[in-house]
Amino acid sequence: MTPWLPDRFLPGFESLELEFPDDYDGRVLATLVRLPYGGEAPRGAVLFVHGFIDYFFQRHLAERFAMEGYAFYALDLRKHGRSLRPHQHPNFCKNIAEYYPDITRAIDVIGEPVLLAGHSTGGLICSLYAHDGPHREQVRALWLNSPFFDWNMPDWRRAQLHMAAALGRFFPFLNDAKALLPDYAQALLEQGWEFDTTLKPIAGFPVYYGWLGAIADAHAKV
């Protein structure tokens, strides 16, 4: 296994690349990030999983968990943030279960049961992993922040999404490059949040119809 290295995006943190077998996009990896914790963490470990068009940059979150006695780890899922490679479709999956190996390997590296923490789409992924993931017995508890359990939009818009999701089952890489408004990411910057806009672009990435299908299936399973 490659060694922990100083993280390129968060001074004081370390990161570790996790390699996986190739998938339909080719080479695949995920990135585990940690805030080094001196000594033994009295409350154990927490593993944080980000949302859609996102990556781990929330220093204050790690520091607060550390203050509360946790060893803090975060995962940049495959095709997101630190783990995204030029040959890949950004932030894409055909099935939420594609992320299970990332979480499983991270838990193996951490080496103890974890409090599994998820934001937005990460909350959806973590919830399903805690239900049927390979290391679900190693999940001590769930900590969810705005979990993405449903489409938050009018019925007419939902109908459009379901039509796109159905089309995505046959043409997964069809996409809408302007599906996401820049308002949310721009507001974060204006409020003082700091993140790398190459990893989390203000205008987002294209929303792939195949991804919509994966999310619709995950919502139904929840």
Side-chain angles (χ1 to χ4, degrees):
M1 185 173 66
T2 54
W4 287 95
L5 298 173
D7 186 63
R8 294 182 298 135
F9 300 96
L10 284 175
F13 286 73
E14 297 177 332
S15 60
L16 176 69
E17 289 189 351
L18 308 174
E19 294 275 359
F20 298 94
D22 291 0
D23 73 357
Y24 44 83
D25 273 345
R27 180 172 176 250
V28 176
L29 60 90
T31 309
L32 189 60
V33 181
R34 72 179 179 187
L35 177 63
Y37 193 96
E40 184 176 343
R43 301 186 71 177
V46 57
L47 176 61
F48 176 77
V49 181
H50 58 78
F52 182 55
I53 307 191
D54 210 351
Y55 75 104
F56 175 68
F57 61 88
Q58 297 90 342
R59 173 186 295 275
H60 70 284
L61 181 67
E63 292 174 343
R64 180 55 188 266
F65 269 110
M67 286 175 57
E68 298 292 338
Y70 289 93
F72 183 87
Y73 297 82
L75 189 60
D76 275 15
L77 297 168
R78 59 185 64 198
K79 307 181 187 180
H80 291 75
R82 297 167 178 82
S83 307
L84 179 62
R85 294 298 181 266
H87 63 275
Q88 296 175 327
H89 293 85
N91 304 179
F92 178 80
C93 71
K94 296 180 180 180
N95 189 304
I96 287 296
E98 290 178 26
Y99 301 123
Y100 284 9
D102 305 13
I103 297 174
T104 298
R105 182 76 65 80
I107 293 174
D108 283 338
V109 171
I110 294 168
E112 62 177 295
V114 298
L115 186 158
L116 192 55
H119 167 63
S120 190
T121 309
L124 176 63
I125 296 165
C126 289
S127 297
L128 293 176
Y129 187 93
H131 176 68
D132 60 5
H135 281 357
R136 57 188 177 276
E137 74 282 355
Q138 297 295 311
V139 177
R140 296 170 53 208
L142 286 172
W143 183 92
L144 305 178
N145 171 242
S146 300
F148 182 24
F149 288 163
D150 201 356
W151 305 107
N152 184 23
M153 56 186 60
D155 288 343
W156 66 268
R157 182 62 174 148
R158 286 173 183 250
Q160 290 181 335
L161 280 173
H162 287 303
M163 290 176 62
L167 190 58
R169 299 186 190 284
F170 301 96
F171 305 100
F173 300 122
L174 283 179
N175 64 82
D176 183 347
K178 297 181 179 180
L180 298 176
L181 298 175
D183 305 41
Y184 175 64
Q186 189 63 53
L188 290 180
L189 290 177
E190 291 172 356
Q191 292 170 16
W193 293 73
E194 295 181 0
F195 54 87
D196 190 299
T197 55
T198 61
L199 303 186
K200 182 179 175 65
I202 301 301
F205 288 113
V207 173
Y208 294 96
Y209 290 8
W211 178 85
L212 292 174
I215 296 299
D217 290 344
H219 285 169
K221 191 168 187 178
V222 166

